Amino acid sequence: MALDYEWFQQMEERIPKGEVRTRFAPSPTGYMHVGNLRTALYTWLIARHAGGKFLLRIEDTDQTRKVEGAVEVIDRTLAQCGLDHDEGPDVGGPVGPYIQTQRQELYGKYAELLLERGGAYRCFCEKTDEAEVHGAALGKNALKHECPYRNISREASDALAAQGKPYVIRQKIEPGVTSFDDVIFGKITVDNSDLDEGVMVKSDGLPTYNFANVIDDHLMGITHVVRGNEYLASAPKYNLLYQAFGWEVPTYIHCAPVMRDEQHKMSKRHGDPSYEDLLAEGYLSQAIVNYVALLGWSPEGEEEIFSLEELVKVFDISRISKSPAIFDKDKLTHFNEVYLRAMTPEDFAAVAEPYIRQSVHEPDIDPAKVATTLQARCKVLTDIPAQVDFYDRLPPYDLDLFVNKKSKSTMESALELLQAVLPRFREVKAWEPEEIKTAMTALAEELGVKNAKVMWPVRIALAGKTVTPGGAPEIAWILGKNRALARLEKAVQRLKAVE
């Protein structure tokens, strides 16, 4: 068929120029693993650091792997992480559509142009192994295809196609060498004989990743491409496509993988957490993003805690490492602690409330009050329910808990002091932590004992635990006067029963 060169020229004229343009182009396969999030983050940071544009493109040409709701997961993750996009399926833009299956007709036209320019040929072989198509996307050349139709004339190829004979379109690679530059790995040169002439367009008319990726990156004006270094083997074939079309090659940034340990990549199949898993485990999105930024990138100086705005200012692609990064859950937990401590009390109370309410259901117990005891003691938000479950219901506890050598507390002294505390608590008019504490410290002073000897039995009587977020005054305040008095009276009755 005759090519409409004016249409191709119009497509070229649509391409934005004169700015850094990056894209995050995930496949909708179900969840956002840590490596995906890092790619999105680095891509976003490159664009924002340069004052450019960040695009979201959904690469759904492999319909067999598409998972219902996966696009929503991608959108939600980017929004929660603060990675806003300037163009994409939901916001539109000058070079849409931004979903590959909506661009199918476009790929067909560029496949015809590539055939015209000698960069591709039709393969009419009866069977093309699907594994070859998937393997080609990762540069796996084990299944090299020797095609008897490679060198037939264009007229003969057109005639077979006109007869309705099924075919795929393959990239044509001539002898020689191909070189490309990568920001991280430098200049890489390969012998073209090592490259497979992979499928560009499948028999159903849908493009493979290798072909659609190049077409879309060019037509969307992408200047910097961030991807995993498993795609290094495919980069020469991308370059040959750019050259066949006469297009400028973008800047390549191939990142080393994120590893579970020194031998194994992170993998959902092996139980490694996705971004959503980490949220469910009680990590803050800001802490996750900050930590993920450091998985393969190092800032200047010793500082490691950065807000997203600070990362935009300091991010430099030349400081991305060639070496794989090992995901360290302990370090992520440390980051999370730092972020939790830095929150305002109001913000912490807001994020803590759902976790508090998992075990504290009494409506008259204020979760904001409970949160004041937790902020300095919480590593991840999922720690909270088990720490505060005693507010709803006093757990069964052994009276031996009243015995504490450090506080010089015994069961006998505990009984004596609780009996003395009860009337003091009844007299407290303003039921606030300082007033409650004053009542106990005044009693200790009168009796000539250390504060701890009074505080310890009150804590045990109120919480039934030796370790609690907050001390006796805070626990009594949160429980409320009536509930606190009732628990103290119950402890006195139990201790009397063993005299």
Side-chain angles (χ1 to χ4, degrees):
M1 69 177 190
L3 295 177
D4 183 355
Y5 286 100
E6 184 177 342
W7 179 85
F8 288 110
Q9 183 58 36
Q10 290 171 352
M11 294 298 290
E12 291 295 311
E13 291 170 357
R14 294 175 67 209
I15 300 172
K17 307 286 186 185
E19 63 181 356
V20 168
R21 291 174 62 82
T22 67
R23 50 73 171 168
F24 178 53
S27 298
T29 54
Y31 65 93
M32 183 82 80
H33 61 68
V34 171
N36 278 147
L37 177 57
R38 186 186 64 172
T39 299
L41 176 60
Y42 286 4
T43 306
W44 183 87
L45 288 171
I46 290 167
R48 294 291 176 255
H49 182 77
K53 297 288 194 304
F54 174 66
L55 285 65
L56 173 63
R57 183 173 77 224
I58 302 300
E59 299 196 335
D60 61 343
T61 55
D62 188 349
Q63 292 286 293
T64 62
R65 297 176 64 224
K66 185 176 180 180
V67 173
E68 194 67 33
V71 174
E72 289 75 15
V73 171
I74 293 164
D75 288 338
R76 183 170 62 248
T77 300
L78 292 178
Q80 289 173 334
C81 293
L83 308 183
D84 58 314
H85 50 279
D86 303 291
E87 301 172 28
D90 53 340
V91 296
V95 289
Y98 294 87
I99 298 175
Q100 284 189 331
T101 49
Q102 297 176 9
R103 300 167 65 86
Q104 185 172 350
E105 182 180 356
L106 179 153
Y107 302 127
K109 291 181 178 180
Y110 279 92
E112 290 295 328
L113 180 60
L114 195 61
L115 287 169
E116 182 74 22
R117 295 193 171 185
Y121 62 93
R122 296 188 187 95
C123 167
F124 296 92
C125 296
E126 289 190 6
K127 184 179 179 182
T128 297
D129 194 327
E130 195 67 18
E132 176 193 355
V133 173
H134 293 309
L138 296 178
K140 297 175 182 177
N141 299 322
L143 294 167
K144 295 190 73 168
H145 181 81
E146 300 294 334
C147 181
Y149 298 93
R150 183 186 190 278
N151 295 314
I152 65 173
S153 68
R154 180 63 190 274
E155 291 75 18
S157 176
D158 289 348
L160 288 171
Q163 293 169 19
K165 188 173 178 62
Y167 63 87
V168 298
I169 297 178
R170 292 182 178 274
Q171 183 176 9
K172 180 177 278 190
I173 299 175
E174 303 296 352
V177 296
T178 299
S179 296
F180 67 95
D181 292 302
D182 181 80
V183 169
I184 300 171
F185 292 91
K187 187 171 186 177
I188 297 175
T189 300
V190 299
D191 194 303
N192 289 357
S193 63
D194 293 330
L195 303 176
D196 182 31
E197 295 187 330
V199 175
M200 300 284 97
V201 179
K202 295 177 283 186
S203 57
D204 59 6
L206 281 175
T208 60
Y209 171 87
N210 281 339
F211 186 63
N213 188 266
V214 168
I215 302 300
D216 289 341
D217 281 349
H218 173 70
L219 294 181
M220 293 182 179
I222 302 304
T223 60
H224 295 68
V225 172
V226 181
R227 55 187 169 227
N229 67 359
E230 66 267 28
Y231 291 98
L232 274 170
S234 293
K237 300 204 290 187
Y238 301 149
N239 272 37
L240 289 170
L241 284 174
Y242 280 108
Q243 290 170 17
F245 283 117
W247 295 339
E248 185 176 349
V249 179
T251 299
Y252 291 146
I253 303 150
H254 288 88
C255 299
V258 178
M259 310 287 284
R260 184 193 328 143
D261 52 43
E262 291 185 0
Q263 283 80 38
H264 303 95
K265 288 184 182 181
M266 289 189 73
S267 167
K268 185 74 170 174
R269 289 194 305 273
H270 293 101
D272 295 316
S274 67
Y275 167 78
E276 291 200 322
D277 291 334
L278 292 172
L279 285 184
E281 290 173 19
Y283 292 94
L284 295 172
S285 187
Q286 306 97 302
I288 298 170
V289 170
N290 189 160
Y291 178 64
V292 166
L294 300 177
L295 289 174
W297 171 80
S298 59
E300 291 188 24
E302 300 298 318
E303 183 58 58
E304 291 188 313
I305 303 298
F306 296 98
S307 67
L308 203 53
E309 293 75 19
E310 290 167 338
L311 281 171
V312 169
K313 293 177 183 176
V314 302
F315 191 77
D316 180 353
I317 58 176
S318 69
R319 299 188 66 83
I320 298 175
S321 174
K322 291 181 182 180
S323 303
I326 295 178
F327 184 83
D328 183 344
K329 197 78 165 285
D330 290 339
K331 188 166 184 178
L332 172 59
T333 300
H334 165 69
F335 274 53
N336 205 62
E337 286 185 80
V338 171
Y339 273 85
L340 287 171
R341 305 290 183 274
M343 297 177 83
T344 66
E346 295 77 15
D347 286 345
F348 178 78
V351 299
E353 181 172 357
Y355 297 89
I356 294 169
R357 283 303 186 203
Q358 285 180 25
S359 57
V360 181
H361 304 101
E362 291 289 346
D364 60 333
I365 292 181
D366 184 354
K369 290 182 178 180
V370 179
T372 63
T373 69
L374 292 165
Q375 189 165 3
R377 298 170 176 85
C378 180
K379 293 184 178 181
V380 292
L381 294 169
T382 45
D383 289 342
I384 291 174
Q387 289 182 313
V388 299
D389 56 359
F390 62 87
Y391 283 113
D392 243 25
R393 187 173 291 104
L394 184 67
Y397 63 92
D398 195 309
L399 293 177
D400 286 342
L401 293 186
F402 285 109
V403 178
N404 184 274
K405 186 180 292 186
K406 185 177 179 182
S407 300
K408 297 184 178 179
S409 178
T410 64
M411 279 198 278
E412 293 77 13
S413 69
L415 175 58
E416 177 188 347
L417 289 166
L418 288 176
Q419 288 176 314
V421 165
L422 271 165
R424 301 299 179 101
F425 273 14
R426 291 189 184 103
E427 292 170 2
V428 174
K429 291 183 171 58
W431 194 253
E432 297 291 338
E434 282 304 313
E435 296 296 321
I436 298 167
K437 182 178 180 181
T438 298
M440 286 191 283
T441 55
L443 175 63
E445 187 176 356
E446 288 176 24
L447 297 176
V449 298
K450 291 187 176 180
N451 292 340
K453 194 165 184 177
V454 178
M455 299 283 185
W456 183 263
V458 173
R459 180 206 293 260
I460 299 302
L462 294 176
K465 292 184 174 186
T466 58
V467 178
T468 57
E474 292 84 8
I475 295 170
W477 168 60
I478 293 166
L479 283 169
K481 190 171 185 177
N482 290 338
R483 192 179 280 112
L485 290 172
R487 291 190 180 189
L488 293 178
E489 288 166 354
K490 183 176 181 180
V492 167
Q493 292 168 8
R494 291 186 64 195
L495 286 165
K496 279 184 175 180
V498 297
E499 273 190 309

